[in-house]
Amino acid sequence: MRSLSVLLLPLALAACSAFQPSSAVIDPPSRDWRAIATVDDRERLRDWRDAFVAGLKAARASGHAATVAREGVLLEPDAALGGGPIPNGNYRCRVIKLGAKSPGLLDYVAYPPFACRIRQERDLQGFAKLTGSQRHVGLIFPGDALRQVFLGTLVLGDERRAMQYGRDKERDVAGFVERIGPNRWRMLMPRPHFESRIDVMELVPNSQDMR
């Protein structure tokens, strides 16, 4: 047991050190995400539905139509229900990548669930994907009646700290957080700089201790 604890310690430290959204990733002057988002990210968010439809079309054309259908509302572009901000707490987050960004990549990739966390960061919410080789870290801002807005960066591989938002265009992440069912949310990340046309992250609470 002692040797197992030693092996797991670096993973735990990496996850904790990457979860620093307010102080290291974004230091927002206001709650208005438009005042924070880069020009590129505003364009990506504006074109989210086109990216979603194109990703779905590519996935279905490559033989994954039945798989897409089984995912139900998770992969339906207009499934947002509204209902207020996503609760703080611990989540199981599962990422599906739709539509290959370049030749040679897959048009449909689904990953097993990872650990994610949402917690209060001053008057906003901080989000971090705590495990996996691509870990999103950033802030969730108020949006409209249907969705919130996520702005952050990617922590890759064995990196221990998150990069500041806006410093490296290819690391910046922008997305919408939407409720799609009882205790079920998703984060849509259109036109990511790696691999796909859109990333869809399912967010499901992993405990009843949500606040």
Side-chain angles (χ1 to χ4, degrees), residues 98-147:
L98 298 173
K101 194 173 185 66
S102 58
L105 298 177
L106 298 176
D107 285 309
Y108 184 94
V109 180
Y111 292 93
F114 295 97
C116 292
R117 182 184 301 161
I118 298 174
R119 69 181 184 185
Q120 204 64 31
E121 295 285 338
R122 302 174 187 172
D123 57 346
L124 296 171
Q125 291 176 289
F127 173 85
K129 182 172 177 286
L130 300 175
T131 55
S133 59
Q134 296 182 12
R135 302 180 300 283
H136 310 72
V137 181
L139 288 173
I140 300 174
F141 294 80
D144 56 28
L146 288 179
R147 53 186 60 90

Side-chain angles (χ1 to χ4, degrees), residues 20-169:
Q20 47 183 338
S22 64
S23 60
V25 179
I26 301 175
D27 188 11
S30 73
R31 284 166 50 87
D32 184 1
W33 66 269
R34 296 171 185 84
I36 308 297
T38 64
V39 172
D40 180 62
D41 282 352
R42 288 198 294 271
E43 291 177 354
R44 291 199 288 175
L45 291 173
R46 184 189 63 217
D47 299 335
W48 73 270
R49 199 178 190 284
D50 289 343
F52 205 158
V53 171
L56 287 170
K57 182 178 179 180
R60 289 172 176 137
S62 63
H64 296 281
T67 304
V68 168
R70 281 197 297 270
E71 292 292 348
V73 294
L74 179 63
L75 298 183
E76 293 177 5
D78 302 314
L81 298 174
I86 186 171
N88 295 329
N90 296 313
Y91 287 80
R92 298 188 307 276
C93 47
R94 181 171 62 102
V95 177
I96 297 175
K97 293 178 175 287
L98 298 173
K101 194 173 185 66
S102 58
L105 298 177
L106 298 176
D107 285 309
Y108 184 94
V109 180
Y111 292 93
F114 295 97
C116 292
R117 182 184 301 161
I118 298 174
R119 69 181 184 185
Q120 204 64 31
E121 295 285 338
R122 302 174 187 172
D123 57 346
L124 296 171
Q125 291 176 289
F127 173 85
K129 182 172 177 286
L130 300 175
T131 55
S133 59
Q134 296 182 12
R135 302 180 300 283
H136 310 72
V137 181
L139 288 173
I140 300 174
F141 294 80
D144 56 28
L146 288 179
R147 53 186 60 90
Q148 296 172 273
V149 177
F150 172 76
L151 298 175
T153 62
L154 276 179
V155 181
L156 301 177
D158 60 356
E159 293 176 348
R160 294 298 186 91
R161 300 187 69 82
M163 186 176 293
Q164 263 194 330
Y165 176 76
R167 177 170 292 183
D168 184 339
K169 176 180 176 179

